[in-house]
Amino acid sequence: MKFRKLAFKLHLYLGLVVGIFLAVIALTGSLLVFGPEIERFFNPQLLQVIPQAERIPLENVLQIVEKAYPHNQALSILLPRSAKEVCQVSMLSKSEEVVSVYVNPYSGKIKGARLDKETFTGFMFTLHAELAAGGFGHFVVGICGLVMLGLTFTGLVLWTGWRNLARGFSINWQAHWQRTVFDLHNVSGIISVAFLIFISATGTAIIFYTPFESALYWVTNEKPQPALTSHTQSSSSRQNLDEILDKVNTVWTEAKTTFISLPLTPEATFKVRKKFPTDSHPNGISTIYLDQYSGEILRADSVNSASVANRILNSLYPLHIGSYGGIYLRLVHAIAGLAAIVLFMTGVLMWRQRHLAKFYRKEARQQYEKLSPISQQWPWF
């Protein structure tokens, strides 16, 4: 009983202190699960094109964008995932803001450009990952993830189903509203608990990625892959992007090339992502590193041959957004995020009612003591 009482106190006060932050994180996370689909639905003129017979060379796409935005530095290129999608070039502006430029891959026409932070997904991500408060907010989100884990485990301890399994999964809609709110809180929590643990644990690991990575390598007695550099040559220029694509397409031919990270310094390498049919990451996690001058393949890290530590690290993002099980599991993850909001609202209602009940009992006791002459003569009564 003492343990349950401690669990109740922790569950109550942790929920009251950070509940509003968890609600914001949960709502934005649920929306971000279907962020790409939402963006395409509201911006078809920007993100979709009419398929044609042949695409222009990727190097031409980059040159067109660099000519249109000469003061920006190209960071990466997201290749079209289907015949109807645009080619997206990410650039860094002089004010160090990320700009996304959308290009028709068939004609080379620039369809538009947006600051990442002003897009729907960019705005939602800023709230989700840092509560729109920069580095400090990022840290707070990580702490909220740990608190969410605490809430799920204390909630499991307090679940009424341990005493009566059927009661733990039922909601009495005909009872007084206070009882219905309690049942709704109880059932929402137990149904979503497994997904909330997955989401909060992986989200916390992503926020505190560096210490989590170090701890994981230590536990598994593994070492991270060494950093790679290009062999700088004064007379050489960067390799043509289409030549880079030709080389990476000879590696893992069953995987699709999805993303190219451009070298930003003379020593940096090309990093090309590829997605296997069975890969749960939206862009694929398998990476090929190439010398930016010679185009030589320096290393190829396949998701299928990764070490234990790297497999865990690679699974964090797919587990967090639910992409490891297709569209239906993504929907379940989104609903689990909404369940966290229901838990917060019903929890506040229960706390408020409990607080009011204590207040009314105290007020009634005070009224009784004022009206009772016996209580004035015999205060120990």
Side-chain angles (χ1 to χ4, degrees), residues 26-296:
L27 177 60
T28 53
S30 294
L31 292 172
L32 282 171
V33 168
F34 292 99
E37 288 82 358
I38 294 173
E39 287 283 7
R40 286 195 293 270
F41 179 79
F42 286 106
N43 302 282
Q45 75 289 346
L46 192 64
L47 302 176
Q48 294 183 0
V49 295
I50 299 174
Q52 297 179 23
E54 189 175 347
R55 295 176 181 174
I56 66 172
L58 190 60
E59 185 68 32
N60 290 3
V61 171
L62 182 59
Q63 289 176 359
I64 290 169
V65 172
E66 289 180 330
K67 184 177 179 180
Y69 301 90
H71 301 297
N72 293 353
Q73 182 180 22
L75 301 175
S76 61
I77 302 174
L78 180 63
L79 300 177
R81 298 183 187 178
S82 70
K84 294 182 178 181
E85 294 189 15
V86 296
C87 188
Q88 181 177 327
V89 181
S90 293
M91 308 190 81
L92 189 66
S93 68
K94 274 192 171 183
S95 57
E96 297 190 346
E97 293 181 309
V98 178
V99 181
S100 291
V101 184
Y102 307 96
V103 184
N104 186 320
Y106 303 101
S107 66
K109 179 182 178 182
I110 295 178
K111 295 177 68 66
R114 299 184 296 175
L115 288 174
D116 269 19
K117 67 179 184 180
E118 294 180 354
T119 64
F120 171 81
T121 52
F123 177 69
M124 288 293 112
F125 182 79
T126 301
L127 285 175
H128 182 71
E130 56 189 44
L131 296 171
F136 177 72
H138 193 67
F139 176 78
V140 170
V141 170
I143 298 300
C144 286
L146 293 174
V147 171
M148 189 65 190
L149 285 173
L151 288 170
T152 53
F153 288 120
T154 53
L156 276 173
V157 171
L158 299 170
W159 181 52
T160 59
W162 300 121
R163 295 190 293 266
N164 186 330
L165 188 62
R167 186 73 189 86
F169 284 100
S170 62
I171 301 176
N172 189 344
W173 298 103
Q174 306 301 322
H176 189 273
W177 70 269
Q178 296 174 25
R179 184 68 196 188
T180 303
V181 166
F182 173 82
D183 288 347
L184 189 59
H185 187 87
N186 195 48
V187 174
S188 298
I190 195 61
I191 289 177
S192 62
V193 65
F195 293 100
L196 291 177
I197 290 174
F198 269 146
I199 294 168
S200 53
T202 53
T204 303
I206 291 170
I207 293 291
F208 299 125
Y209 187 85
T210 300
F212 179 78
E213 180 187 41
S214 301
L216 188 58
Y217 281 128
W218 179 79
V219 168
T220 57
N221 196 28
E222 298 175 14
K223 293 183 179 180
Q225 293 279 17
L228 299 173
T229 58
S230 295
H231 300 90
T232 308
Q233 301 174 21
S234 58
S235 59
S236 297
S237 58
R238 173 181 64 75
Q239 278 276 302
N240 183 287
L241 287 179
D242 298 285
E243 294 176 354
I244 292 294
L245 283 178
D246 289 340
K247 289 192 176 183
V248 299
N249 285 337
T250 62
V251 182
W252 313 317
T253 54
E254 70 275 28
K256 184 178 181 180
T257 304
T258 59
F259 184 84
I260 300 176
S261 181
L262 302 171
L264 305 181
T265 65
E267 297 80 20
T269 63
F270 278 108
K271 285 177 278 193
V272 182
R273 297 269 284 275
K274 299 194 75 173
K275 178 178 171 62
F276 285 89
T278 57
D279 195 343
S280 58
H281 195 287
N283 291 326
I285 203 67
S286 301
T287 308
I288 301 174
Y289 301 84
L290 303 96
D291 188 296
Q292 66 168 298
Y293 304 107
S294 66
E296 175 191 358

